[in-house]
Amino acid sequence: MIKRVISLSIMLCAGLLTAANASAHGASAVAGEWLPVIEKVDTQNANVISQIQSSPLGNEILVEFTGKGKLEVLGNDGEPFIRITPSGVYANWDHPMWYKVQTAGPRPLPEWVTDNKLESKWELVSKNNYYGWYDKRLEKTDEHIDNWNVAIALNGKRSDISGYFKSLAPPDKRTLVTVDNASSPIADLNAMVVPGAERAIRVSYKGDHHMVVLDEHQSPMLRFSPNGVEVNTHSKGWQSLGRAPVTTDKQWVKVSSQAAYTWPDSRLEKRSEEGWKIPVFCHQDKKVKHIQGGWIEVASL
């Protein structure tokens, strides 16, 4: 759902971007660059979907409302200036924040807005049930402020979309994920970690028997054999990856003609003293064993 909203939002906001007198994203009065990250939508409502889109122009927050009634975005004064409904998005053209969020940079306010007399002048600005805007609350303006908050109201009930600021400066140290292939649980199995923003593991297998990788729920997820790799589309671990195939009439679907496959695995990120483990099962000895490894910290270049 959110992927669809993002693509549509790009078209929606294209006109706004061309008018922006913007600086680099994350720019503020504090040192360094900072990226706002959504930590939680304190609504406990599945009808509110939010995401932040960052670009050289600035940080834009995108909110979709799929419920009934209205979702209102509140300004610093506690008054709503954006209203998202199933029939469209409305804006209060008399509220100063409506003009301030249209571009990533500063924008002069109309004369009728600077009279300090807030009136209700709601106008339809979009026929969609989502909207994106450059909210200045997503900018880090003080070294002592680590979190950000955008107040909203769901059918009059106050709530929040909140998060924290992530530094874009390279860390003094970085963590490497290691694999202990010396104690490989199964003969002819080899594993390696592929570094990146989302660490992945690549497993290759040269055995004559079937070898199965289990997901975090201890259910079969990938099946290796001399004929290639098959995926269990019913596996919750596979479904959480968001890869095709997701829904199919067949439970096991071939994804590689070679007995090797690479996938991002959250178990590589869960730090513990015992290290990380990914359970595997070989039909030869019919025992659950583990691909395992750990983490080491090295100084950044």
Side-chain angles (χ1 to χ4, degrees), residues 56-128:
L57 290 176
N59 297 306
E60 182 183 24
I61 186 168
L62 173 67
V63 175
E64 179 188 29
F65 180 54
T66 59
K68 296 181 180 179
K70 61 184 178 181
L71 181 154
E72 293 179 311
V73 182
L74 309 182
N76 293 328
D77 57 359
E79 297 295 327
F81 66 97
I82 295 176
R83 183 177 292 161
I84 305 175
T85 73
S87 60
V89 180
Y90 299 80
N92 185 359
W93 286 69
D94 197 55
H95 198 295
M97 285 196 67
W98 167 246
Y99 296 92
K100 292 180 180 179
V101 302
Q102 296 306 303
T103 63
R107 180 180 181 180
L109 300 177
E111 292 182 2
W112 71 83
V113 176
T114 58
D115 58 7
N116 295 321
K117 295 180 180 179
L118 183 61
E119 299 179 7
S120 294
K121 296 180 180 179
W122 293 95
E123 299 288 344
L124 180 70
V125 294
S126 171
K127 294 182 179 180
N128 300 306

Side-chain angles (χ1 to χ4, degrees), residues 13 16 39 42 44 46 72 77-78 99 153 158 161 166 179 194-196 242 245 252 258 272 293 296:
C13 301
L16 301 178
E39 189 169 25
D42 189 21
Q44 298 182 348
E72 293 179 311
D77 57 359
Y99 296 92
R158 173 74 160 73
I161 300 174
K166 178 181 178 181
V179 181
V194 181
W252 289 95
Q258 298 180 346
S272 68
I296 58 173

